[in-house]
Amino acid sequence: MRPSGRKIDQMRDVSIETGVTRHAEGSCLIRMGDTHVLCTATIDERVPPFLKNSGLGWVTAEYGMLPRATHTRMRREAKNGQSGRTQEIQRLIGRSLRAGVDRVALGERQITVDCDVIQADGGTRCASITGGWVALKLAVNQLMKAGIVISDPLVDPVAAISCGIYAGQEILDLDYPEDSEAGVDGNFIMTAGKLVEVQMSAEGATFSRSQMDKLLDLAETGIAALNSVQLDAVK
């Protein structure tokens, strides 16, 4: 039924390779099927002006796609200005990651997580959040190892997965062929079994409460699997 031949509750193969760049305090390359995202975390001992002298830390994110991440070449956004989609996605990544951070324990510093899509096949924002947490955790580990931060400010792993209704069936982890044809498309961001954010839309058909519940059940299963991969990556 699915173009890839996967079962309805089967995710794409997921891997996270850490330490992929020399200079960033935390870095990883996350692969979710044919979606590949480079995530790096940078520590800055300054915070935005609105947090100065507050004692609170901050986590923010930037997101971008390389010109040939997709089937046809895209023009670089740095040259033409960021699209509304890019701005929306990087705000989502930032607030999703902050949901798992004790900002008092982090102290008055900022960590910027950069997510650069090398290859896209659906679910780039989900891969960015999931890999972004790993890069963030690795950067925080450096702060703790140096004794700059005493207690771990990352309370729980944050991960994201897509679910939707394709050909009338609820499915987990949509790739591009499914995403482009789905009647309902959604992204679920969770931490420790709790929802951070849900983005759902009826692309071609409305959906019922019972269908929503099925999608949420699929998402919980997928998030648990992603959390396991995340924690293995940062051991």
Side-chain angles (χ1 to χ4, degrees), residues 82-119:
Q82 287 185 327
S83 67
R85 174 184 180 274
T86 294
Q87 294 179 50
E88 184 268 326
I89 290 176
Q90 62 190 25
R91 286 195 295 266
L92 169 67
I93 297 167
R95 65 177 177 265
S96 296
L97 294 176
R98 286 193 297 272
V101 176
D102 180 341
R103 292 168 54 204
V104 174
L106 179 59
E108 199 168 311
R109 58 181 51 83
Q110 175 173 279
I111 301 180
T112 301
V113 177
D114 288 291
C115 302
D116 293 289
V117 180
I118 299 172
Q119 182 171 282

Side-chain angles (χ1 to χ4, degrees), residues 41-62 90-114 136 139-140 143 149 153-154:
T42 301
I43 300 170
D44 189 344
E45 291 302 321
R46 298 170 298 175
V47 292
F50 70 90
L51 286 176
K52 192 174 181 180
N53 299 322
S54 69
L56 297 174
W58 190 248
V59 174
T60 188
E62 293 192 13
Q90 62 190 25
R91 286 195 295 266
L92 169 67
I93 297 167
R95 65 177 177 265
S96 296
L97 294 176
R98 286 193 297 272
V101 176
D102 180 341
R103 292 168 54 204
V104 174
L106 179 59
E108 199 168 311
R109 58 181 51 83
Q110 175 173 279
I111 301 180
T112 301
V113 177
D114 288 291
L136 177 61
V140 165
L143 290 172
V149 170
L154 299 191

Side-chain angles (χ1 to χ4, degrees), residues 32-234:
M32 296 183 69
D34 285 331
T35 289
H36 303 168
V37 184
L38 173 65
C39 303
T40 57
T42 301
I43 300 170
D44 189 344
E45 291 302 321
R46 298 170 298 175
V47 292
F50 70 90
L51 286 176
K52 192 174 181 180
N53 299 322
S54 69
L56 297 174
W58 190 248
V59 174
T60 188
E62 293 192 13
Y63 168 95
M65 298 181 71
L66 297 185
R68 277 316 304 267
T70 54
H71 293 91
T72 57
R73 186 184 186 277
M74 300 179 298
R75 299 179 69 184
R76 293 185 186 274
E77 289 191 322
K79 181 179 180 181
N80 301 284
Q82 287 185 327
S83 67
R85 174 184 180 274
T86 294
Q87 294 179 50
E88 184 268 326
I89 290 176
Q90 62 190 25
R91 286 195 295 266
L92 169 67
I93 297 167
R95 65 177 177 265
S96 296
L97 294 176
R98 286 193 297 272
V101 176
D102 180 341
R103 292 168 54 204
V104 174
L106 179 59
E108 199 168 311
R109 58 181 51 83
Q110 175 173 279
I111 301 180
T112 301
V113 177
D114 288 291
C115 302
D116 293 289
V117 180
I118 299 172
Q119 182 171 282
D121 187 40
T124 61
R125 71 188 67 193
C126 293
S128 296
I129 292 168
T130 303
W133 183 87
V134 171
L136 177 61
K137 174 63 173 173
L138 293 172
V140 165
N141 285 351
Q142 287 206 22
L143 290 172
M144 294 182 65
K145 185 177 181 180
I148 298 171
V149 170
I150 305 303
S151 60
D152 192 346
L154 299 191
V155 182
D156 293 298
V158 177
I161 195 70
S162 63
C163 296
I165 299 177
Y166 174 81
Q169 181 65 60
E170 298 83 7
I171 61 172
L172 175 65
D173 189 21
L174 284 68
D175 55 24
Y176 179 75
E178 294 166 337
D179 188 23
S180 61
E181 298 291 336
V184 175
D185 182 22
N187 298 299
F188 295 78
I189 302 97
M190 301 181 69
T191 178
K194 294 183 179 180
L195 290 167
V196 174
E197 187 160 338
V198 177
Q199 298 180 325
M200 293 289 296
S201 59
E203 302 288 347
T206 57
F207 55 101
S208 67
R209 171 65 179 271
S210 62
Q211 287 175 310
M212 176 67 180
D213 290 341
K214 289 178 182 178
L215 293 173
L216 182 55
D217 288 341
L218 286 171
E220 287 181 332
T221 300
I223 294 292
L226 290 174
N227 288 162
S228 179
V229 177
Q230 287 174 308
L231 295 174
D232 283 344
V234 298

